[in-house]
């Protein structure tokens, strides 16, 4: 019975991680080199290095790799 609780906890934790990653991916990110904004996938959110609201990404426009800033969502 204990393994069922453990599996349930891991399933809930995985669901929370995916929901948070998808929420972050719904924001745009701004390149510090060309100042263009772009979106990334939730998988990129999970795999990219990040610190606070900055993510190490490759800009799809200028192809530079740098710390791109997550932009606030426009409502």
């Amino acid at each position: 019975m204990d393994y069922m609780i453990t599996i349930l906890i891991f399933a809930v934790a995985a669901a929370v991680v995916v929901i948070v990653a998808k929420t972050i991916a719904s924001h745009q990110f701004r390149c510090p080199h060309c100042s263009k904004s772009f979106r990334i996938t939730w998988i990129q959110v999970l795999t990219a290095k990040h610190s606070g609201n900055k993510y190490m990404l490759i800009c799809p426009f200028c192809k530079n790799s740098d710390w791109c800033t997550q932009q606030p969502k426009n409502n």
Side-chain angles (χ1 to χ4, degrees):
M1 188 63 161
D2 288 340
Y3 69 91
M4 293 297 284
I5 294 172
T6 303
I7 291 171
L8 179 63
I9 289 171
F10 277 113
V12 169
V16 168
V17 167
V18 170
I19 289 168
V20 170
K22 286 186 175 191
T23 302
I24 293 169
S26 70
H27 290 80
Q28 291 195 354
F29 292 82
R30 180 159 307 200
C31 174
H33 296 280
C34 66
S35 297
K36 292 190 177 178
S37 294
F38 58 93
R39 293 192 189 275
I40 61 174
T41 66
W42 66 274
I43 297 291
Q44 288 174 301
V45 171
L46 292 177
T47 58
K49 286 191 234 177
H50 69 280
S51 177
N53 68 341
K54 293 186 177 199
Y55 286 75
M56 181 60 77
L57 301 170
I58 297 172
C59 175
F61 299 103
C62 68
K63 307 298 187 220
N64 283 310
S65 177
D66 205 344
W67 292 97
C68 299
T69 306
Q70 178 183 347
Q71 301 300 300
K73 199 159 188 175
N74 296 335
N75 291 330

